[in-house]
Amino acid sequence: MMIPCRKGCGACCISPSIASPLPGMLNGKPAGMRCIHLTEQNLCSLYGKPERPSFCLSYQATEEFCGSSRNMALKQLSDLEVMTAQ
Ligand code: SF4
C-alpha cells in the first residue's frame, strides 16, 4: 500500500544499491552508501531539477518498503537488497 514519503528520511537513497548512473556517480552506488546528492537533512539536493534521475522520480513509498519509521525503512530496504542480490 502506498504511503506519503517521510520528508527527511532518505532511506531509499542509502540502503539500496543503484546500478544506473547518477550525476557525479557514474557507476551508481553500492548498497548502504549515501548518494552524494543526499543532504545532511536527508533531502535530495537535485529535487525539482532536470538532472534528478528518472528512476528517483518514479520511486513510490509503500508500507512494504518503508515500514512505519525511518529505521524500519533503512532495514527493510537493506533486507530487500539482500534478497534481490541473490
Ligand atoms: S539523486 Fe536524489 S533522490 Fe536520487 S538517490 Fe540521490 S539523493 Fe536520492
Side-chain angles (χ1 to χ4, degrees):
M1 189 173 78
M2 279 176 53
I3 58 171
C5 178
R6 287 187 289 270
K7 203 172 175 185
C9 172
C12 59
C13 310
I14 300 170
S15 290
S17 62
I18 297 179
S20 312
L22 292 146
M25 300 179 97
L26 296 182
N27 296 317
K29 71 170 204 67
M33 176 189 277
R34 291 177 70 87
C35 173
I36 59 170
H37 303 291
L38 193 62
T39 67
E40 280 182 26
Q41 292 75 33
N42 294 322
L43 299 171
C44 176
S45 63
L46 301 181
Y47 192 86
K49 296 184 182 172
E51 9 354 337
R52 190 174 183 221
S54 55
F55 59 84
C56 299
L57 287 169
S58 64
Y59 183 82
Q60 296 282 356
T62 65
E63 245 176 41
E64 182 194 8
F65 291 162
C66 308
S68 58
S69 68
R70 178 170 190 263
N71 280 345
M72 271 183 82
L74 286 165
K75 178 164 186 336
Q76 288 182 188
L77 289 168
S78 294
D79 290 350
L80 196 75
E81 176 69 26
V82 171
M83 284 165 55
T84 53
Q86 288 170 351

